[in-house]
Amino acid sequence: SPKHSPSIPLALLALGLVLVALPAAYSKEATVRGGGGFGSTQADAGDPPLFRDPNDRIRPHSGNRHLFSFSNPSCADDDYAAAPYYVSPSGNNWSTSNGWGLSHDKPFRTIQHAVDERGECQTIYVMEGTHRNNYYGQSRNHNNKIVNLNGVSDVKILADPDASAAPVLEFDGPGAIVGGTASNPVSDIEIAGLDVSGPNAAIAYAEAVADRRIKRTYYSGRGIAIWAGHHIYIHDMKVHHCPGSGIRVNRGDYVTIADSEVHSNTWWSSSAESAIVLAEGVNVDDSDWIKMRLVNNVVHDNVNKIPYYNPNYAWDYSPIGNEDCAAFPACQAELVEGCPWECRYGKKTQDYIVDGMGVYVTRNKDTYLHGQMELTDNIAYGNGINGVVFHRTDRGVVKRNTVYNNGVIPRLEYSELPAEDWMVDLKKSRQPYSGIVINNAEGVKLWSNNVMARYDDDYAYNLEVDGSGPPPPLAAGGNNKVCRGLVDEYIGGVVWPATDTTVCGVPSPPATTPAPSTSPTKSPVAVPTTGAPTEPAKYVEISCGGACHLIQWPYDMGNAYAPNVAHAACELDCDLGVCKAFSLQDDYRPNMVGMMRCFLYREDGEPSPEVCANDPFNRADGGTCAYATSNGQFFITPEAKEMYNVYNLEE
């Protein structure tokens, strides 16, 4: 069966998003410091790059992405540093009393043994080489994971900082790293720097489709799957060629999946999988801040090639559409003719594919009652249906994602040249969406995304709702761009046409696609190319009086500039960095009299104390979030203004 192996276009060079060699984020000093909050670690600037070939396509590690602490106060930085274990395929699972597992010279042989022998606040360094599950290559249906994390807490599984290449976890069963149940959840887990590889490349369509209703583990395994847990940080991974999802966490809270490349997954599972997934979250506290994050990932070529099958569905049940399936005798007889396609979803007779997303949060509405989700700075292309989806999940923000050329699942009115073998048996088109979809979700903010649909009559931006009524409105939004495709009528006010298509990941204006034989399923809003509404400013000025420096927001002290160029120069500095706001003030340094100092407020950090994250210039309790300035000015992105309720000073 033909396989997908495209690379990110050269146009991403213009965006600064193409990957360079991964920074050495795993120096021993950096990785063991994390009890107070992982993501606070960052490599020294002089460290050599590790783990990724410079030609690999993944964006640089941003650092400081993870904005929550481990939940166990007993595990401090020094505790994680105290007695790390080492694991190598050439090691032995012998006793630590003889020194095994305690050094590079005498490592354990398996990660599972290191987990089983863990102490409190344990760091496990995975050394270079290929780590496989038990009975690898001996069965198409076994339950051997490389690592089982059921009930595990306070453990970091990290690439050895002395490795010259990423350690490889190669599996052919249910998954590489799997764990967590309702009775045995995981907690305080960090997984970083590993290359997880499944058997996709060795599987042909004919054998996978023959397994559709059998569901053997060889054809359905997932890269990393956590089924219940909290305070989970998965980052700087490469996860690929897994038959099911690349990385997913179900029934989680305080989860970050970041800075990873997830590609060529979901091909052969019949479970309607997506590449990166947060599903059925369960909040562990009542905090309503952002606690669930999918950020800064490159997600591509994840395509469902096998129709969904769920053996638990009754013949007259369907989770999609509004058909009364019991009214169709053909459905009970398992016939295609006379049974609506919605009623055949997940059944033996399903002969179409409508599942398979890139970056996906789903079915959290009824279980995740406190907290928000963030889908930010991801690149998604070449995936089966949509690139980014917020589905049946309330409260969150979707911002600065670059989404293009998804919708690989065919629409039958268009020719696929060449058609792959798995496409030939499909009898129905996918839905006409291939960008960002917000589906049955309330309280979602949509800011600064760039989307190019596959076809002119695919929806680039879409709001969905069950039934015939209007969808829930966006909580806020703006500065979104569309390079090709339709825009839902309920979302058009926050989307503008892109005049420079490189923002959507393509090097030149896209060619117009041929007219299809059928019309879209609903009326889009027109996105004019001339006479369009004026785009909002990238930064909004906030009146801040004599105290314009938000001292409690994470910031970098920037350059000093002459007053006549200070605003433009500081804004450019903010554009080039990971920045949500900037301020200017008279430079108080003796040798800088007459200059303006630029302060840059970082995107990758939250105000502390938390009260400074809400209307910081107007603290009702008289506390101090802002520092006195001379000739101060404060500018903030519209999305950050909405997120933190940043209002003018009430004078």
Side-chain angles (χ1 to χ4, degrees), residues 18-27 43-45 47-63 159 163-167 192-195 235-238 258-261 296:
V18 171
L19 104 260
V20 297
L22 194 70
Y26 307 108
S27 68
D44 294 332
D47 288 345
L50 294 180
F51 309 128
R52 299 286 188 252
D53 186 283
N55 294 317
D56 276 354
R57 300 291 184 175
I58 194 169
R59 282 186 287 175
H61 175 52
S62 59
S164 59
L194 308 174
D195 184 326
H235 63 101
D236 293 283
M237 301 289 293
K238 187 171 184 178
D259 303 297
S260 297
E261 183 183 19
N296 209 50

Side-chain angles (χ1 to χ4, degrees), residues 45-263:
D47 288 345
L50 294 180
F51 309 128
R52 299 286 188 252
D53 186 283
N55 294 317
D56 276 354
R57 300 291 184 175
I58 194 169
R59 282 186 287 175
H61 175 52
S62 59
N64 296 315
R65 274 282 179 187
H66 206 275
L67 304 181
F68 60 77
S69 301
F70 278 147
S71 63
N72 183 0
S74 299
C75 287
D77 298 343
D78 291 343
D79 298 308
Y80 280 106
Y85 285 161
Y86 295 84
V87 178
S88 169
S90 61
N92 285 296
N93 290 336
W94 294 350
S95 173
T96 55
S97 62
N98 293 322
W100 288 98
L102 303 181
S103 69
H104 287 101
D105 295 330
K106 300 179 74 174
F108 288 139
R109 182 175 58 83
T110 66
I111 305 169
Q112 186 64 58
H113 185 75
V115 169
D116 293 342
E117 295 295 315
R118 67 189 180 277
E120 296 181 356
C121 318
Q122 184 69 59
T123 296
I124 298 170
Y125 288 126
V126 183
M127 295 170 63
E128 189 174 339
T130 299
H131 304 253
R132 291 173 170 159
N133 51 261
N134 289 337
Y135 302 105
Y136 181 88
Q138 299 180 39
S139 171
R140 295 294 171 101
N141 194 36
H142 63 79
N143 289 313
N144 295 290
K145 302 99 174 170
I146 298 176
V147 185
N148 185 337
L149 290 180
N150 283 352
V152 173
S153 61
D154 307 318
V155 168
K156 299 184 176 188
I157 301 174
L158 310 175
D160 176 23
D162 292 333
S164 59
V168 175
L169 275 61
E170 187 175 26
F171 72 93
D172 67 354
I177 301 176
V178 181
T181 67
S183 58
N184 280 305
V186 307
S187 63
D188 293 352
I189 297 294
E190 182 174 4
I191 303 168
L194 308 174
D195 184 326
V196 174
S197 177
N200 270 357
I203 297 173
Y205 168 68
E207 59 181 297
V209 76
D211 188 76
R212 175 176 174 249
R213 292 190 290 141
I214 302 171
K215 292 182 177 284
R216 289 176 291 180
T217 57
Y218 182 72
Y219 302 98
S220 59
R222 303 171 178 96
I224 299 174
I226 304 299
W227 298 111
H230 59 88
H231 293 83
I232 299 161
Y233 185 26
I234 302 170
H235 63 101
D236 293 283
M237 301 289 293
K238 187 171 184 178
V239 183
H240 57 100
H241 291 94
C242 307
S245 293
I247 307 174
R248 71 177 301 136
V249 177
N250 284 40
R251 295 189 291 277
D253 197 10
Y254 289 98
V255 177
T256 292
I257 301 172
D259 303 297
S260 297
E261 183 183 19
V262 180
H263 75 89

